């Protein structure tokens, strides 16, 4: 006998029961009988029941998503046949199951006696049936009230009123009712209850709690009356105080909730009694809802009910007029009948007020004034019923519906909205970001909860929405199309760049990883998702759930593709996420087993119903992205999942021979080749080359034929480029050398087994690839065909680059062979290519496609969310952009890479190959990159695109540096190349460490790139200083001699900066491994997160910064080793940049330059006394005080590496006071920040806390680097500083021969203050000015008194620094006389 389904069993169990029942062949318990229709009468009643038409559930053909809604007319409903209730269930058993704890409530059960219950027989009538009860008869004559109680509640209330008309029992027990006319209250506090006593016994009129119901006959009434009399007698025997005490005791023993319930019941009884009294009065006529304006009688004191109309307001027009005789329609509830009306007319927006965004079922943003028909299903919402579409809030509400179809629909619409938002369709039509709003509302966890649903349709819709949220399809297309570019397989992780804490720099990488993992483990998923969506999802066990959906539920093709796309996005997040995908139990095993089988049934072009046991290109892409995250992951994939046999299976056959749809076959073959490329980048998968060598040769020979088709197929072009990229990496693997075992522990850990490919196995590839390059170059004059070829020419050039690089490193080969072959290639192919005019057009288009020249093109997209990183390739790219189809960057970068390799191997070809650098388009591009333009904002897309742009710049500069070794370079071009190298060095991002290192070693400090040193640059600098400053104000040694000495010391300067700008060694080795062909050192194809450039913008000052920090961290106070040499080299380089490459320091604010110059004096008490240091600092200070630079000096802006400038200045003053001994250069640096336009905090620090330093500030006025007017104007308005000025002058702390500059400054500000008569000044300021003037008039020092009273104008040519009035002006004289006369009169009165 088959068992019935039990609660908790899943759909899989139900399907198993169904299969067992069908296999048993038993007769069903219920037979389906088709009744006859009304039209045909009972003609079909005699037919036997139909057999063998069982309702069998099959889930294979069920769609994963609901069908699209299309406009359709409304259908008329048909009456469905009734469904008989099951009769086999025992009612007593059902009652016991639902009421199992009744024995805990009643301890003694007495059966009710119904013998005395009266039986009411129906009233006899003259008709066959008794009259039918009608509600209208019973309610005739009664007023329609607004009571909204049910019929049952109204019947109970009426029966209670029809019983004995006696006061309720609450008057008997508590007697708390106030006298007539008093104000009643619903509840009393204990203090009020204690103040009220029970009334006399006449209020007890009968028993109400004990009625005797259930006893036999007259015994019930007698027993109840006896109990009632005993209760009355007991109450009358007690005193009022005892009654109140007993009442308090009972209240204390009872549950407070029970007491509250009894009191609320008391109030309900009271309200029912009052209502019964009101019902005895005559009723008013009921109000009918008509189309006219009704007059509703109301009183001002009565509150209007919720559904009642306002007085004088027009009545609501309903489709059907309600009738009082209808059930439940005696009281019309208008608010519940609004849905029966027609939609209100669509309101036209007259103002610019924002309205709620509404979307169609396809996710389209609907205009506020769009008028759509109602049968489209866009008006089923309450708010703004006249507007079509649904808001995000309404869609969120619909996702919580109990109907699965509604949940599916809501998730489907949200997926469409997110997808369109990711594509940038909404643009600026919405205020704010849709994605940010959805994530803040919990959309991420709504999708995660929906994945746990039991309905497959809901799961499919949730996965579709998750893919729309996480995956940007255009991003994947861009990354796939640029895979064959120069270092195109290296990509940045798509994870947020969270700022590290300040103390992380002191921690080792292992400690950082442990601390981060512990912190993330303690955080809930919601907090993680707020900063990183992928981490938040992984914390919710997303991967095991996706594995369950793939392995157990066996979803349809669309769901499988969505899951694989989500896994690809998770793998691109970081190495940690890729590792979690790999280590998820049975996830990768399921993907490989189900979607990468080695044998499958042939498939046609028509769509399939299932992707299980069918090869899927997205599954192969998932493995490729996982392998890109690290060499260990790639090795585990190859060894644990037998990917070698699967690669052989999908590469051995041509795409057209695979039993798959054509597009899927091409994509699968391409992804298989790319996975092999990734493995070959680590030096792995070399054994497959021997097995597939004939296949690769056959495919390579067929390339020219495939490229000859017009136009070339896009998928075929990508497959050919992947094939050439694979041969490039295999060639590098054959030419790479294994690192020495004992060289370095880091290198030893990265090294693997020696490559399994030898040079002889790849030496024959070049004759097959070169014809492909020749054929593609023929299409260069035809832009359409050239753009259609895509990365194929780039891949051919990169292969030749790797081929000659590996050939030259073979110890067994003859150098003459490769030199002759290089000459042949140059004469036959490369040099003629340089003369083609179409190549010049490619150089000319660099500026149009450059991100540096067009920084606005990489602005963040409107829907960019910091916690969900994407490249932002939403609406595609213009053909003339870096990632566009007509971009010249990939081909020109590969061409420059090949030229560099050939020039390095064959030195005699440098001058011929360097002709490419003279292209006008390249020169114009360099000029635009060096110009002071806004730096592009660092976004994920800009970081990815700028990295490819920096590759072209670096390769061009490297070729220029090689050519400069053999032939002189024009001065203009050399200066441009040097400026380009300086700009590139400050822009390089993480992952390009080897580029920064090579620039520091070669281009930056190369004398050939500084033509000014040999063409009169030092002499021109001296002449410029004499013209601008004059010989009397020149503080130090001639700048020309300093520059000439710096040019001679360039090798030492380079060594200094290589030491202090050194990068992380592990990062440096990892970044240079792949370009150099050292595949055994490649740790991963995933670059570090690009948080900021590798070097700071003020990198020329790094040696000075390091000296300052070393001196601050040394407790003994000893100077750092070789401090003089380091400081001198850094100051020489900074002076050289300030003089000849000022654009290299445009990004460094003048305040930062001043701060680093001050740090030279803080390193040691003797360093600033060295003569070279004095001359260099004086020259740099003079450059900083130039009229065109000085206005940009802002000491209030935040400075990199400093907490605040006032703190640094306070430390500087303390050091000056201790070790300066009146040094004039030191004093000039102290005086420069004291200008009037800077913060008063700096001046207060000197005159308040370090007033003793005034004695050592003996800098003469002619040597002041800036004008004296910068200190004296405008007049000082800080009262505290003015008082300090006056006190320093009066006490003799500030004297003319000690500190002439500040003496003139203090005299000027005090004079302006004491004679100030500004009516807007406060009383305190006026009183302070009068007091100061009085004290000045009474000074005993005649010289100081004369200076303070007769000061006129600043004049640095005079010994005092200012001019004096011969006698006071009349206004000042009168003001002084009034003040002094008042003092004399006051003194006479006191005597």
């Amino acid at each position: 006998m088959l068992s019935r389904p039990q609660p908790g069993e899943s759909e899989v169990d139900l399907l198993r029961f169904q299969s067992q029942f069908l296999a048993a062949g038993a007769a069903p318990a219920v037979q389906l009988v088709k009744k006859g229709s009304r039209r045909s009468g009972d003609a079909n009643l005699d037919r036997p029941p139909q057999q063998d038409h069982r309702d069998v559930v099959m889930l294979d053909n069920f769609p994963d998503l609901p069908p699209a809604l299309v406009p359709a007319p409304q259908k008329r409903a048909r009456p469905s046949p009734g469904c008989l209730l099951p009769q086999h269930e025992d009612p007593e058993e059902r009652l016991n199951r639902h009421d199992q704890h009744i024995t805990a409530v009643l301890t003694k059960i007495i059966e009710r006696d119904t013998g005395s219950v009266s039986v009411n027989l129906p009233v006899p009538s003259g008709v066959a049936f008794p009259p039918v009860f009608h509600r209208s008869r019973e309610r005739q004559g009664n007023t329609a009230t607004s009571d909204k109680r049910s019929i049952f509640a109204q019947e109970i209330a009426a029966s209670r009123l029809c019983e004995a008309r006696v006061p309720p029992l609450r008057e008997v027990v508590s007697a708390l009712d106030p006298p007539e006319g008093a104000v009643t209250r619903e509840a009393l506090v204990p203090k009020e209850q204690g103040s009220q006593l029970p009334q006399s016994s006449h209020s007890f009129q009968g028993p109400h709690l004990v009625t005797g119901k259930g006893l036999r006959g007259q015994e019930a009434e007698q027993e109840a009356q006896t109990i009632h009399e005993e209760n009355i007698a007991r109450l009358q025997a007690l005193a009022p105080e005892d009654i109140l005490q007993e009442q308090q005791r009972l209240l204390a023993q009872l549950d407070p909730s029970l007491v509250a319930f009894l009191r609320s019941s008391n109030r309900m009884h009271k309200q029912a009694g009052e209502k019964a009294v009101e019902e005895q009065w005559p009723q008013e006529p009921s109000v009918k809802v008509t189309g006219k304006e009704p007059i509703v009688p109301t009183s001002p004191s009565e509150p209007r009910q919720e559904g009642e109309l306002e007085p004088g307001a027009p009545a609501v027009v309903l489709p059907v007029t309600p009738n009082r005789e209808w059930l439940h329609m005696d009281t019309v509830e208008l608010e519940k009948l609004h849905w029966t009306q027609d939609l209100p007319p669509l309101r036209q927006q007259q103002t610019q007020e924002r309205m709620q965004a509404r979307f169609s079922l396809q996710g389209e943003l609907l205009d506020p004034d769009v008028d759509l028909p109602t049968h489209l299903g866009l008006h089923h919402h309450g708010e703004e019923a006249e507007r079509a579409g649904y808001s995000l809030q309404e869609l969120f509400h619909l996702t919580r519906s109990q109907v699965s179809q509604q949940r599916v629909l809501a998730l489907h619409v949200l997926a469409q909205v997110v997808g369109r938002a990711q594509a940038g369709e909404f643009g600026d039509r919405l205020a704010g970001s849709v994605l940010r709003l959805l994530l803040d509302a919990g959309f991420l966890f709504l999708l995660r909860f929906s994945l746990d649903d039991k309905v497959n349709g809901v799961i499919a819709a949730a996965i579709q929405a998750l893919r729309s949220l996480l995956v940007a399809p255009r991003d994947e297309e861009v990354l796939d199309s640029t895979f064959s570019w120069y270092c195109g397989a290296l990509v940045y992780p798509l994870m947020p760049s969270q700022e590290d804490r300040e103390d992380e720099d002191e921690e080792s990488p292992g400690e950082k990883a442990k601390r981060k993992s512990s912190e993330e483990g303690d955080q809930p998923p919601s907090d993680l998702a707020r900063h990183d969506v992928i981490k938040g999802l992984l914390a919710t066990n997303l991967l095991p759930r996706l594995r369950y959906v793939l392995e157990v539920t066996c979803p349809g093709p669309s769901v499988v593709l969505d899951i694989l796309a989500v896994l690809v996005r998770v793998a691109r997040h970081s190495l940690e996420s890729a590792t979690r995908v790999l280590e998820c139990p049975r996830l990768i095993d399921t993907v490989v087993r189900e979607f990468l089988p080695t044998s499958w049934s042939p498939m046609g072009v028509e769509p399939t119903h299932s992707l299980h046991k069918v090869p899927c290109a997205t599954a192969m892409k998932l493995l490729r992205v996982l392998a890109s995250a690290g060499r260990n992951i790639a090795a585990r994939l190859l060894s644990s999942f037998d990917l070698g046999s699967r690669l052989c299976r999908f590469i051995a056959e041509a795409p057209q021979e695979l039993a798959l749809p054509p597009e899927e076959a091409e994509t699968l073959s391409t992804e298989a080749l790319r996975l092999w490329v990734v493995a070959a980048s680590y030096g792995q998968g070399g054994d497959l080359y021997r097995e597939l060598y004939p296949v690769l040769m056959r495919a390579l020979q067929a390339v020219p034929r495939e490229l000859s088709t017009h136009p070339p197929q896009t998928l075929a072009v990508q497959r050919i480029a992947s094939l050439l990229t694979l041969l490039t990496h295999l060639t590098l693997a054959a030419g790479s050398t294994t690192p020495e075992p004992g060289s370095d522990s880091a290198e030893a850990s990265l090294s693997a087994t020696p490559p399994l490919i030898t040079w002889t196995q790849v030496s024959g590839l070049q004759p097959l690839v070169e014809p492909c390059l020749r054929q593609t170059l023929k299409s260069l004059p035809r832009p359409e065909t050239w753009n259609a070829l895509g990365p194929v020419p780039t891949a051919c050039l990169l292969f030749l680059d790797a081929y000659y690089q590996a050939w030259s490193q073979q110890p067994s080969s003859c150098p003459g062979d490769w030199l002759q072959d290089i000459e042949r290639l140059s004469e036959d192919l490369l040099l003629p290519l340089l003369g083609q005019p179409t190549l010049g057009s490619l150089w000319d288009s660099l500026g149009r496609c450059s991100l540096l020249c067009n920084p606005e093109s990489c602005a963040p997209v409107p829907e960019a969310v910091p916690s969900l990183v994407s490249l932002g390739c939403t609406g595609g790219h213009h053909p003339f952009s870096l990632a566009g189809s007509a971009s010249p960057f990939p081909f020109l970068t590969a061409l420059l890479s090949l030229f560099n390799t050939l020039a390095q191997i064959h030195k005699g070809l440098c001058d011929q190959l360097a002709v490419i650098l003279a292209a006008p388009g390249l020169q114009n591009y360099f000029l635009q990159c060096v110009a002071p333009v806004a730096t592009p904002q660092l976004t994920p897309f800009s970081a990815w695109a700028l990295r490819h742009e920096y590759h072209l710049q670096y390769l061009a500069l490297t070729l220029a540096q090689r050519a400069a070794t053999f032939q002189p370079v024009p001065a203009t071009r050399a200066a441009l190349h040097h400026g380009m190298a300086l700009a590139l060095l400050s822009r390089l991002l993480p992952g390009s460490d080897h580029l920064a290192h090579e620039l520091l070693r070669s281009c930056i400090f190369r004398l050939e790139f500084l033509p000014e040193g040999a063409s009169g640059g030092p002499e021109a600098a001296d002449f410029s200083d004499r013209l601008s400053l004059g010989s009397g104000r020149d503080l130090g040694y001639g700048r020309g001699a300093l520059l000439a000495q710096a040019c001679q010391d360039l090798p030492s300067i380079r060594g200094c900066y290589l030491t202090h700008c050194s990068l992380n060694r592990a990062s440096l080795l990892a970044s240079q491994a792949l370009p150099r062909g050292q595949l055994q050192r490649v740790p991963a194809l995933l670059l570090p997160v690009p948080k900021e450039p590798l070097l700071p913008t003020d990198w020329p000052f790094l040696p000075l910064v390091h000296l300052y920090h070393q001196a601050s961290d040394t407790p003994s106070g000893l100077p750092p080793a070789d401090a003089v040499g380091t400081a001198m080299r850094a100051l020489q380089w900074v002076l050289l940049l300030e003089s000849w490459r000022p654009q290299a320091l445009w990004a460094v604010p003048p305040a930062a330059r001043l701060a680093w110059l001050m740090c030279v004096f803080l390193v040691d008490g003797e360093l600033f006394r060295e003569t070279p240091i004095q001359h260099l600092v004086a020259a740099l200070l003079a450059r900083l005080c130039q009229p065109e630079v000085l206005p940009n000096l802002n000491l209030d802006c935040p400075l990199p590496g400093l907490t605040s400038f006032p703190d640094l200045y306070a430390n500087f003053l303390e050091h000056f006071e201790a070790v300066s001994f009146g040094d004039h250069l030191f004093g000039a640096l102290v005086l420069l920040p004291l200008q009037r336009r800077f913060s008063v905090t700096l001046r207060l620090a000197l005159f308040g806390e370090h007033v003793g330093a005034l004695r050592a500030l003996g800098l003469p006025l002619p040597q002041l680097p800036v004008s004296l007017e910068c200190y004296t104007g405008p007049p000082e308005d800080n009262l505290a500083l003015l008082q300090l000025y006056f006190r320093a002058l009066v006490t003799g702390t500030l004297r003319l021969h000690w500190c002439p500059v500040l003496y003139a400054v203090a005299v000027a500000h005090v004079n302006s203050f004491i004679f100030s008569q500004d009516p807007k000044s406060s009383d305190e300021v006026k009183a302070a000015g009068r007091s100061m003037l009085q004290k000045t008039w009474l000074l005993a020092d005649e010289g100081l008194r004369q200076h303070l009273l007769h000061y006129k104008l600043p004049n640095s040519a005079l010994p005092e620094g200012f001019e004096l009035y011969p006698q006071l002006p009349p206004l000042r004289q009168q003001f002084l006389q009034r003040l002094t006369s008042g003092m004399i009169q006051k003194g006479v009165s006191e005597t």
Side-chain angles (χ1 to χ4, degrees), residues 447-476:
L447 298 181
R448 182 60 188 90
F449 297 152
S450 300
L451 286 178
D452 295 334
D453 203 294
K454 297 181 180 180
V455 181
N456 291 337
V458 177
I459 297 175
I463 292 175
Q464 181 193 12
L466 191 63
R467 174 178 181 171
S468 301
L469 177 65
L470 300 181
V471 182
R474 180 58 184 168
D475 292 358
E476 295 295 329

Side-chain angles (χ1 to χ4, degrees), residues 98-114:
H98 291 281
D99 194 6
Q100 299 176 357
H101 301 285
I102 193 172
T103 57
V105 180
L106 301 178
T107 58
K108 184 178 180 181
I109 302 175
I110 300 177
E111 185 178 358
R112 181 180 180 182
D113 185 12
T114 58

